[in-house]
Structure formats: C-alpha cells, structure tokens
C-alpha cells in the first residue's frame, strides 16, 4: 500500500483564472442573496423557490453552470462553487445543488441521448425552474444499499419498465420534475443486480409520501417517494438495456459486474459533498474569529486568551486540511486517478466531521449568543450534522477506507 503518485500526472491544485472568477461571482451571490435569506427559510422549512429563481436568472442554477464546473480541467470548479454556496447557507445551498445529484447519476452512467433529453428538464429555465431528485435510500436500505427492494420489471411487449417500491430521504423527492430511481432488476444479485431509471415529469404512479421535519438544512426538501405501478419507457433505463444485459450476462458467467451504478454515482459525488461541509466549517471559523476580536471580557478581546486563540487555530487548520483532501479527491476524480486508498471517502469523512466540530467550537466561542437563533452559528451546527450522515455515514466512509488500506473484508 502506498500513497497515490500524484506528481507523475502533473498534480496541481492551482485553480484556473476562470475558476477564481467564478468563485468570486458565486461568493457575491452567497453573501448578498443567500445569507440574508438563510434564517427565514430555515424557519419556514420550505423550498426557497424565489432564491432558486434568482439563481436561475443569473445562470447560477442552470445545467450550463453545473456542466462547466463539472468539466473544469483541474476538477476544481464544482468543489469551489459548492464551498461558496454552502458558506452562504447549507439549506439553500442544497436546494440549489440537490438537482446536481440526479444529474450526476445520469451524466456518469447515461447515454449521450439520455443526457441530452433529461438533464435540461431537471433544471428548467429562468421563470420556470425545475428540480431533479436522486432516490436510492429506502426504509430498509440506507447504508446497506444492496438491500434495495424497489423492483424494476421489464415488459418486453411494450418496451416498458414497471417500477414498484418506496424510497425515502429523497432530496427534492416528490417536488422534482425528473426522479432518478435505483431499483433491483435482479434482487438475488444485491447491488450487482441494480440499475437506475429516469421517471419523466408527470408519470402516473409516482407520488410524494411524508415530508421530513429536520434538525438542519431545513430549506432543503426531504421526503419519501412512493412508486405504485410506475411505467417508464425502455429508453429511461440509465445506460440502456444492452449495457444492462451485458452486465447481467457477465455476472451469470461468474465474471465481474463492474461497479454498479449507484455506487459509481456516490463515488464521484463524494468530493462535491465534502466541499459543502468545508463551506459551512469555513463560515463558522471566520465568524467566530471576527467575534473573538470584538467581544471583550476581563478588559481584553476574548481572542487574546490562548484558550480561544488555540481553538481558532485548530478550527482554521482543520478547515484547510479538509479543503486540501477535498481538492485532491476532486483532482483525482477528474484525472481518472484510481482512488487506491478511498481518497474520495477520506475527503467526505474528514470534511463532515470537521464541519460538526468546528461549528460546535464556534458556538463555544460565541458563548450564550452562540446558543441563540439571533446568531447563525447554531444553525450552522445543525446544518453541519447531516454531513456525517448522508452520502454514506462517517462509519461507512471509515469502512470503505479501512477496506482500501488493509485489503481485508472489513465489516
Ligand atoms: C436530509 C437527508 C437527505 C438525504 N438525501 C438523500 C437523497 O437525495 N437520496 C438518497 O438516496 N438518500 C438520501 N439520504 C439518505 C442517506 O444517504 C441515508 O440516511 C444514509 O445513507 C444512512 O442510512 P440510514 O439513515 O438508513 O441509516 P442506517 O443505515 O440505518 O445507519 C444507522 C447507523 O448505523 C451505522 N451503520 C450501519 N451499517 C453499519 C456498518 N456496517 N458498520 C458500522 N456502522 C454501521 C450508520 O453509520 C449509522 O450510524 C438523505 C438523508 C437525509 C437525512
């Protein structure tokens, strides 16, 4: 086991001039539009449609923006954008970024025709914005993705797929126009027998179940999605039937199945999710630092106490460490460098845990004020917690890293 040979591939984390310009543009939107609205939408616990519209109007909520950042040659566009958005607010940030998860599921595994048909429909257009939802989790299949029970049965006569099951925890679930559903084509094969299906807008049989009332990221809609005899055309199988049949045939012959599609989506999206957590952590570190220079006790700024300054030192150091892991993983993903030690999972694990710890330290530095809703750090702390849970819990990330570094079947 050795560290990845980054130098051989021209490893560099220097953002391009385009990325730096984009960062400042997104930052201005986060500072001027998202932050001032954050407390209100957290309290309302509703999708912030007017903010999504505003973002669409300037081209920030658009397929073009996401595609450009995703294609950044250094791999840094998306992570830089997400850090700024989530620095503004995580709930609104996720309301803007949630569609990206569904888009990535289609972009990573879909055919060019599927990308051309469905990605624009996930975003809509200014004045008529739309959302996408990626639905993998189920009541009995959270961390254990292989346990997915939602079934997909092929109706050859009609060239249609019949989907039945219950999805849970779906970001934008039920309010999205396009849903991407992970379902079991052959449940006996666990995750190797799964595939993703696009459910077009207005398809009968798909409905929203309960909407969850959450601890944090409350401006982001999270709900169950019920699939009751949902019929989708054959062309909605992500990647196409030929590819699925070839994969199932390889498995039947005892060969390798390759990575199954949901796992591939998670792997690619992990550094992006890590970047969101970095954004929250940075917001908290900056806010607490500023506060520590303004608040006086015992006749001096509280930041002059080593106890506070050392805490700030740890906070800033760990935010930078989390960002570097995130950028490294994003660079590796873009350059097709093998994640030999689960570097994507490392970024998500460290960034998520950092966000929780740093936002908690920020509350401590603000004292009583930090514990109230008059100051943003208590909201940031609530928001940060999701990053140790979704897109694979911290325990699951450790399991993946543990397997990668030991080569053992860690359970
Ligand atoms: C706000 C929110 C938004 C979400 N958005 C989406 C979405 O858009 N699409 C989607 O598909 N899903 C989404 N999820 C689901 C999310 O990915 C799952 O909640 C997560 O994978 C954990 O699954 P679970 O909640 O069933 O927990 P469980 O799997 O039941 O885990 C419970 C606890 O047991 C631990 N655990 C489980 N297995 C092991 C093991 N083998 N070893 C050690 N510890 C273990 C976990 O780490 C955790 O601490 C979202 C969840 C939330 C809360």
């Amino acid at each position: 086991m050795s560290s990845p040979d980054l130098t051989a591939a021209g490893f560099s984390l220097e953002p391009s001039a385009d990325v730096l310009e984009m960062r400042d543009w997104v930052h201005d939107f986060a500072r001027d539009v998202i932050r001032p609205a954050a407390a209100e939408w957290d309290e309302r616990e509703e999708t912030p449609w007017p903010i999504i519209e505003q973002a669409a109007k300037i081209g920030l909520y658009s397929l073009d923006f996401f595609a450009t950042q995703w294609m950044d040659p250094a791999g840094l566009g998306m992570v830089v954008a997400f850090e700024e958005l989530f620095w503004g607010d995580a709930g609104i940030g996720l309301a803007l970024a949630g569609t990206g998860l569904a888009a990535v599921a289609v972009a990573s595994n879909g055919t060019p025709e599927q990308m051309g048909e469905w990605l624009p429909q996930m975003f809509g257009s200014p004045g008529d914005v739309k959302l996408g939802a990626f639905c993998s989790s189920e009541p009995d299949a959270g961390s254990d993705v292989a346990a997915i029970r939602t079934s997909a049965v092929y109706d050859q006569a009609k060239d249609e797929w019949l989907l039945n099951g219950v999805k849970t925890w779906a970001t934008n679930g039920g309010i999205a126009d396009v849903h991407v559903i992970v379902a079991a084509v052959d449940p006996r094969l666990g995750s190797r027998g799964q595939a993703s299906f696009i459910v077009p807008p207005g398809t009968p049989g798909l409905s929203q179940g309960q909407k969850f009332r959450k601890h944090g990221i409350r401006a982001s809609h999270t709900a169950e999605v019920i699939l009751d005899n949902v019929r989708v055309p054959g062309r909605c199988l992500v990647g196409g039937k030929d590819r699925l049949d070839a994969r199932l045939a390889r498995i039947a012959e005892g060969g390798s199945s390759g990575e199954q599609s949901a796992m591939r989506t998670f792997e690619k999206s992990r550094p992006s999710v890590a970047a969101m957590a970095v954004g929250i952590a940075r917001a908290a570190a900056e806010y607490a630092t500023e506060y520590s220079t303004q608040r006086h006790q015992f006749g001096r700024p509280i930041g002059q106490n080593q106890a506070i300054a050392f805490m700030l030192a740890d906070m800033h150091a760990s935010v930078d460490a989390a960002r570097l892991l995130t950028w490294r993983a994003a660079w590796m993903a873009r350059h097709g460098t093998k994640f030999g030690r689960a570097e994507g999972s490392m970024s998500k694990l460290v960034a998520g845990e950092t966000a929780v710890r740093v936002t908690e330290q920020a509350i401590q530095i603000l004292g009583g004020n930090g514990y109230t809703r008059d100051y943003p750090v208590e909201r940031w702390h609530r928001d940060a917690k999701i990053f140790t849970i979704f897109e694979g819990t911290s325990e699951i990330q450790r399991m993946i890293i543990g397997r990668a570094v030991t080569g053992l079947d860690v359970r």
Side-chain angles (χ1 to χ4, degrees):
M1 188 268 302
S2 61
S3 49
D5 184 6
L6 297 165
T7 48
F11 178 64
S12 162
L13 293 183
E14 191 176 349
S16 67
D18 284 351
V19 167
L20 291 176
E21 195 183 317
M22 175 277 295
R23 178 197 63 190
D24 295 345
W25 178 68
V26 177
H27 183 79
D28 289 352
F29 186 81
R31 184 195 56 213
D32 300 340
V33 179
I34 296 181
R35 259 210 191 171
E40 178 193 341
W41 290 99
D42 174 59
E43 288 294 337
R44 286 173 66 162
E45 224 163 334
E46 287 168 10
T47 301
W49 290 106
I51 311 249
I52 301 176
E53 276 294 357
Q54 250 178 294
K57 221 153 106 188
I58 62 163
L60 176 48
Y61 183 77
S62 71
L63 174 56
D64 185 50
F65 177 76
F66 276 72
T68 305
Q69 302 323 320
W70 194 253
M71 304 293 282
D72 171 46
L76 300 179
M78 207 74 262
V79 290
V80 166
F82 281 165
E83 179 177 332
E84 297 309 319
L85 281 178
F86 283 70
W87 173 92
D89 180 61
I92 296 176
L94 195 60
L96 292 166
T99 297
L101 253 189
V104 168
V106 174
S108 345
N109 305 306
T111 63
E113 293 74 30
Q114 287 172 331
M115 289 184 226
E117 180 169 8
W118 302 109
L119 297 186
Q121 294 194 50
M122 287 185 190
F123 287 90
S125 53
D128 187 24
V129 292
K130 308 286 185 200
L131 301 172
F134 177 71
C135 311
S136 170
S137 305
E138 297 183 1
D140 291 322
S143 301
D144 186 6
V145 178
I148 282 176
R149 287 201 201 135
T150 293
S151 62
V153 177
Y154 189 54
D155 179 342
Q156 193 153 13
K158 293 186 175 152
D159 183 28
E160 284 179 349
W161 287 91
L162 183 64
L163 305 177
N164 275 296
V166 176
K167 292 293 177 183
T168 193
W169 305 123
T171 299
N172 296 339
I175 61 168
D177 281 76
V178 180
H179 290 77
V180 179
I181 306 286
V182 182
V185 176
D186 188 341
R188 293 165 306 175
L189 298 176
S191 54
R192 297 184 308 162
Q194 294 168 358
S196 298
F197 296 84
I198 297 154
V199 180
T203 303
L206 184 149
S207 61
Q208 183 186 306
Q210 72 158 310
K211 174 184 169 181
F212 295 102
R213 300 181 66 239
K214 304 194 298 291
H215 178 63
I217 54 162
R218 300 198 300 182
S220 168
H221 171 101
T222 318
E224 286 180 331
V225 172
I226 319 287
L227 299 138
D228 181 13
N229 286 322
V230 171
R231 285 189 166 269
V232 298
R235 70 179 201 287
C236 289
L237 164 61
V238 177
K241 187 137 188 324
D242 290 349
R243 211 200 292 169
L244 173 68
D245 287 345
R247 172 153 62 94
L248 295 177
R250 269 200 312 278
I251 297 168
E253 288 162 11
S256 145
S257 62
E259 285 173 294
Q260 57 91 8
S261 65
M263 291 320 287
R264 222 162 28 213
T265 300
F266 286 141
E267 197 53 49
K268 291 202 176 191
S269 54
R270 255 170 211 145
S272 303
V273 176
M276 301 171 183
V278 172
I280 306 175
R282 185 184 115 213
E286 286 174 2
Y287 198 94
T289 306
E290 172 75 17
Y291 188 91
S292 76
T293 63
Q294 306 299 319
R295 170 72 177 165
H296 285 68
Q297 285 294 275
F298 300 100
R300 58 182 191 270
I302 56 165
Q304 216 168 308
N305 299 296
Q306 278 195 1
I308 300 295
F310 281 16
M311 194 159 21
L312 288 167
D314 286 345
M315 290 160 74
H316 284 273
S318 48
V319 172
D320 281 14
R323 182 186 301 106
L324 284 170
L325 281 181
T326 299
W327 285 23
R328 176 181 74 166
W331 184 93
M332 291 173 76
R334 183 75 184 102
H335 290 81
T337 308
K338 191 163 177 275
F339 281 180
R341 294 183 307 145
E343 288 86 350
S345 294
M346 283 186 188
S347 70
K348 160 73 169 58
L349 170 66
V350 171
E353 295 290 336
T354 296
V356 173
R357 192 176 60 252
V358 167
T359 51
E360 207 247 323
Q361 288 168 317
I363 293 178
Q364 192 64 22
I365 290 174
L366 267 72
N369 283 336
Y371 199 63
T372 70
R373 294 194 179 187
D374 295 332
Y375 289 78
V377 291
E378 72 80 31
R379 185 176 71 250
W380 292 338
H381 188 48
R382 286 188 284 112
D383 291 346
K385 187 58 193 158
I386 192 59
F387 290 91
T388 69
I389 298 172
F390 72 1
E391 285 277 314
T393 64
S394 289
E395 291 73 28
I396 295 300
Q397 307 302 339
R398 288 190 179 98
M399 195 168 79
I400 295 168
I401 299 164
R403 282 179 186 161
V405 298
T406 63
L408 299 173
D409 183 18
V410 178
R411 291 177 177 276

